[in-house]
Amino acid sequence: MVAVVDARDAAAAVRPPIREPLLSLALTAMMDAVGAHSGAVYLRPGDEPLLEMAVMAGLPRSFAAPWERVGLSAPIPVADAVRERRLVWVGGQEEMARRYPRIAVVLPYPFALAAVPLATAERVYGAVFVTWPGSRPPELTERERRELTSACDRLAARLERAAQENRTVRAESDLLDAGSVGGAARTLGPVEAARMVARLPYGLCSLDLGGRVGFVNAAAAEMLGVPATKLLGTQLWASVPWLNDPSYEERYRAALISQDAVSFVALRPPSDWLSFRLYPSITGISVRISRARAVTENRPSGPRSGDAPTRLVSMSQALSLAGALTETVSVQDVVGLVADEIAPAVGSQALALLGARAGRLHVLGHHGYPDPRVVRRFDGMPLSSQTPGAHTVVHGVPAFFESRRQLEHLYPARQESPDGFASWAFLPLIASGRPVGACVLAYATPHLFSTHERAVLTSLAGLIAQALDRALLYDAKHQLAHGLQAALLPPSLPALPGIEATARYLPATRGMEIGGDFYDLVPSRPLPAAVIGDVQGHNVTAAGLMGQIRTAVRAYTTVGQEPGEVMRSTNRLLIDLGSDRFASCLYLRLDPERHRAVMARAGHPPPLLRRADGRVRVLDLAGGPPLGIVPTATYPTTEVDLSPGSVLALYTDGLIESPGVDIEEAIAELGRRLGEAGDRPLEEVADELVGHYATAEERIDDVALLLLRAAGEAVGEPVGEPVGEDG
């Protein structure tokens, strides 16, 4: 990969650098070609899964501070462009809020954005993004698409040549050239232009793209109460105390990004209200200041401490990361987010999340350590141990070590397990006033932690703690749900003479991941039975009712009831329980010696029967309504031939139902896969049938599958309807 080095490290670089501003020239040419008003180039440092901003044009870099260094898995356009190797287009504010809410929270302005990968056939070197004002058409034209992709292809080819020649591509200075101030001077002459502005009854000043004052007339200086000499070259909100408020800086950001005129009213203490109107362009902002007539709403006033650009960066980081952390669910989600987004943003190369439970430390997750054993040795360590992680959790105070010497001076035991890093930040994770763990950030080189950086890291630790607290609770509920589900389903299927059986269960991925689907194999005498069913819903209530139904079916089977009577008795029980839920069910009385089965169906999907010769049929069984609806319902039975070598597939509707897919087509597809895989071992057949459901990130319903294979040589004919044929 192309190496990216800061200008400070140029002298130490071994490889000869490319001296021309390669990235800046390519970026500005690209922006000019498509009429964009800002943009940036990102490059990958080596083979790390990161993107680092190498140059930005048209806007201050502070606007993109949360995304100066991002992981390739981050849900932002440039990362998507790299991962998917395609142009990503976001046509406006609403689309940005829908697809990339983290960006929309930090930059809630109308603008359009395109992100394009810098890729050759061999590898991806980085990405480029460019932005337009929100007033542009919401669609990217074919000409603009061609201009962007071809320009990025050319730049990628240059980067590839540089890599082949071992030439370094440096990070370059951002492009914020505001141009000449007061263009009228070229038309009227500088003296006449100054006279014209001086005659105006309102204040005028000009800001460059960084917010610095390049021109101010006497009226503006008088209204602001600050001499013009103290305003020139400074940021307006930094030199005027009562404008030192994030809400006013926000209007400046909105004007630059949207390229629309923006206005606001501010109170000059003690009682003078001033109206500000901002007129942006790609070179800066012209500000018109006048006295406001009557203002009744309360607005923030008074000086605020701290430097405005720094506060902007911190606010952007907090908003972006807070939005990202709200999307995490499990502990591993939190670990992944901290590794992919927070650690790169603060320059850390490795991290560990430690939890505290029952007086001991527990390693919840880690990333970036060459030898994971140096982290795992702390798992289970008492909180009373003399380690920085334990002290951080117990005392709730962050600890920063800028060198190995500092760390080992206070904690000599660390000399026994060096982790290969040079600086560390140990951050307490405190949620609702109680410690939930610690976050350890490790740095590959000695790192000086400024007062501001320590404050930012401590604030980020608070956000991580809230997310981790929720994740720990979710994981505990998840384990409880799976334990309950495992207790309600049979731990294993009994061995039956003449019948081979296997089953699969997949919980829904929504809610508590527990549901009402069930299956069972009952080794009763004289004939065994099999059952599969689906209680409405996938929550604790459905699971509890499922357990009652499964127990009832076993009891009625054991006392010798016939299949139809088992269904009628279970139906009456469900109604007597007073539940407002219903259940579908399919019950089989198996006779392996005669190669037959008697089935009763209550509103359940039809089973599939595969013959030994590979033909598959949908068994068109008679049946009654779902259990728990009609008290007097009856359930007729159907006798089915189970010739040796045939496979009977019983399943719940979660295996065949999906949005936009016809049920009949889904059953036919399931039958096709059963026909193709039916000769393989039964465990492999089951895995094939649940295939993509098992790996899906989201399942709206739980899935149960029960497969029964008749032993012996193939004889006889099955009963039922062929897959895909009309009944």
Side-chain angles (χ1 to χ4, degrees):
M1 291 294 183
V2 176
V4 183
V5 297
D6 190 88
R8 297 187 302 269
D9 303 323
V14 177
R15 298 174 178 176
I18 292 180
R19 299 191 179 278
E20 64 176 351
L22 169 65
L23 306 179
S24 302
L25 292 174
L27 179 60
T28 53
M30 198 181 312
M31 291 167 55
D32 289 342
V34 296
H37 78 287
S38 74
V41 178
Y42 285 83
L43 296 179
R44 286 189 65 181
D47 290 325
E48 294 184 59
L50 292 174
L51 291 173
E52 292 185 340
M53 186 180 291
V55 65
M56 187 168 184
L59 289 175
R61 184 173 290 220
S62 62
F63 285 20
W67 309 289
E68 281 197 78
R69 301 179 78 243
V70 298
L72 288 184
S73 60
I76 64 172
V78 288
D80 284 353
V82 169
R83 289 197 311 272
E84 301 169 15
R85 293 181 69 121
R86 66 176 181 87
L87 185 149
V88 175
W89 168 250
V90 184
Q93 186 176 13
E94 292 184 2
E95 187 177 0
M96 183 69 75
R98 183 176 68 254
R99 295 173 55 190
Y100 301 101
R102 300 182 194 177
I103 295 178
V105 167
V106 180
L107 302 174
Y109 318 116
F111 68 97
L113 179 146
V116 191
L118 295 172
T120 64
E122 299 298 325
R123 60 180 58 176
V124 180
Y125 290 89
V128 171
F129 80 75
V130 293
T131 68
W132 293 262
S135 56
R136 67 150 286 143
E139 298 297 331
L140 194 65
T141 67
E142 284 302 318
R143 184 196 67 79
E144 291 170 330
R145 186 177 295 270
R146 286 195 305 272
E147 291 281 0
L148 290 173
T149 54
S150 60
C152 287
D153 288 344
R154 290 193 297 271
L155 179 56
R158 293 287 303 276
L159 295 173
E160 185 171 61
R161 286 199 299 274
Q164 292 170 350
E165 297 169 359
N166 286 333
R167 303 180 69 193
T168 302
V169 177
R170 295 177 177 177
E172 299 172 8
S173 299
D174 293 342
L175 303 177
L176 289 174
D177 182 12
S180 61
V181 178
R186 293 192 299 268
T187 304
L188 304 176
V191 175
E192 185 58 31
R195 289 173 178 170
M196 180 190 71
V197 172
R199 288 193 291 265
L200 296 175
Y202 44 79
L204 289 176
C205 65
S206 176
L207 310 181
D208 65 13
L209 294 177
R212 293 176 292 273
V213 178
F215 171 83
V216 60
N217 69 352
E222 181 184 356
M223 291 182 188
L224 295 174
V226 179
T229 54
K230 291 187 177 181
L231 290 173
L232 292 174
T234 69
Q235 292 172 318
L236 197 59
W237 48 86
S239 298
V240 182
W242 45 273
L243 285 179
N244 191 8
D245 187 280
S247 63
Y248 301 144
E249 300 168 44
E250 176 72 8
R251 309 317 297 156
Y252 149 75
R253 287 156 54 94
L256 275 187
I257 293 176
S258 68
Q259 291 291 294
D260 289 333
V262 171
S263 61
F264 64 90
V265 177
L267 173 65
R268 174 188 169 181
S271 57
D272 293 333
W273 289 92
L274 298 181
S275 173
F276 293 78
R277 183 76 173 173
L278 282 61
Y279 299 92
S281 76
I282 60 173
T283 59
I285 292 181
S286 297
V287 183
R288 181 182 185 274
I289 308 172
S290 59
R291 300 190 183 278
R293 299 195 174 207
V295 178
T296 58
E297 64 176 306
N298 294 324
R299 296 193 179 257
S301 62
R304 301 288 182 93
S305 61
D307 181 66
T310 299
R311 186 172 60 250
L312 273 177
V313 170
S314 300
M315 181 187 302
S316 299
Q317 288 176 332
L319 285 170
S320 177
L321 296 173
L325 286 166
T326 59
E327 299 174 9
T328 57
V329 177
S330 67
V331 171
Q332 290 309 308
D333 289 343
V334 178
V335 174
L337 179 72
V338 176
D340 292 342
E341 299 194 37
I342 295 180
V346 299
S348 170
Q349 284 74 46
L351 70 99
L353 277 188
L354 307 177
R357 187 176 68 252
R360 293 185 178 273
L361 284 178
H362 296 276
V363 179
L364 303 176
H366 58 85
H367 178 80
Y369 288 90
D371 186 359
R373 290 176 296 180
V374 301
V375 182
R376 288 295 174 190
R377 69 184 297 269
F378 295 102
D379 198 43
M381 185 172 288
L383 290 177
S384 58
S385 61
Q386 296 300 309
T387 62
H391 280 194
T392 299
V393 172
V394 171
H395 299 292
V397 177
F400 301 92
F401 301 95
E402 298 179 345
S403 68
R404 179 180 297 278
R405 181 179 178 183
Q406 286 184 1
L407 178 63
E408 294 178 352
H409 176 71
L410 291 178
Y411 301 96
R414 280 299 296 261
Q415 298 178 17
E416 303 173 4
S417 59
D419 57 14
F421 291 95
S423 298
W424 299 265
F426 290 82
L427 309 173
L429 302 180
I430 300 174
S432 302
R434 58 183 179 81
V436 295
C439 176
V440 183
L441 298 174
Y443 298 78
T445 58
H447 187 87
L448 299 179
F449 296 96
S450 66
T451 301
H452 168 71
E453 185 175 5
R454 295 182 184 213
V456 169
L457 290 175
T458 304
S459 299
L460 290 177
L463 297 175
I464 297 171
Q466 296 296 328
L468 182 61
D469 193 37
R470 292 193 305 270
L472 289 169
L473 179 60
Y474 171 83
D475 283 354
K477 290 182 177 180
H478 188 269
Q479 294 174 5
L480 174 63
H482 277 261
L484 176 59
Q485 190 79 59
L488 292 174
L489 291 173
S492 62
L493 296 177
L496 299 179
I499 295 290
E500 181 187 358
T502 191
R504 296 289 185 271
Y505 175 79
L506 302 173
T509 56
R510 297 182 182 177
M512 287 188 65
E513 298 191 14
I514 185 171
D517 286 16
F518 67 97
Y519 59 86
D520 203 357
L521 203 56
V522 186
S524 58
R525 294 182 180 275
L527 297 176
V531 64
I532 191 166
D534 182 1
V535 179
Q536 177 194 16
H538 40 87
N539 51 31
V540 174
T541 302
L545 194 59
M546 173 265 281
Q548 292 176 300
I549 293 176
R550 177 172 165 249
T551 301
V553 169
R554 271 188 163 261
Y556 297 138
T557 299
T558 303
V559 299
Q561 288 189 0
E562 295 298 320
E565 186 59 31
V566 170
M567 299 294 273
R568 287 193 294 272
S569 299
T570 307
N571 178 57
R572 289 194 296 268
L573 172 67
L574 190 55
I575 291 174
D576 291 343
L577 289 174
S579 173
D580 59 353
R581 297 175 182 269
F582 60 85
S584 68
C585 190
L586 181 64
Y587 181 88
L588 296 76
R589 181 63 54 82
L590 300 168
D591 189 348
E593 291 187 2
R594 297 178 54 241
H595 306 301
R596 313 294 287 180
V598 178
M599 302 186 183
R601 183 160 69 115
H604 201 79
L608 299 176
L609 182 63
R610 181 193 187 274
R611 293 184 60 187
D613 61 7
R615 288 187 293 171
V616 178
R617 291 179 181 269
V618 178
L619 297 183
D620 186 18
L621 305 177
L627 305 176
I629 297 178
V630 182
T632 59
T634 60
Y635 299 91
T637 59
T638 304
E639 188 173 275
V640 176
D641 182 272
L642 288 182
S643 58
S646 60
V647 177
L648 187 63
L650 316 177
Y651 54 91
T652 56
D653 56 9
L655 192 60
I656 56 172
E657 287 187 351
S658 58
V661 178
D662 181 76
I663 291 294
E664 298 297 331
E665 293 179 1
I667 294 175
E669 171 61 20
L670 183 65
R672 184 191 64 78
R673 289 191 282 129
L674 175 62
E676 293 176 352
D679 287 330
R680 292 153 58 182
L682 206 59
E683 296 293 334
E684 295 183 13
V685 178
D687 291 338
E688 171 63 26
L689 295 186
V690 299
H692 68 280
Y693 294 93
T695 58
E697 294 184 0
E698 182 169 327
R699 291 185 296 271
I700 62 176
D701 199 2
D702 43 346
V703 174
L705 173 70
L706 179 61
L707 297 181
L708 305 172
R709 174 178 279 159
E713 298 297 328
V715 295
E717 291 288 332
V719 179
E721 293 299 322
V723 172
E725 292 185 6
D726 295 332

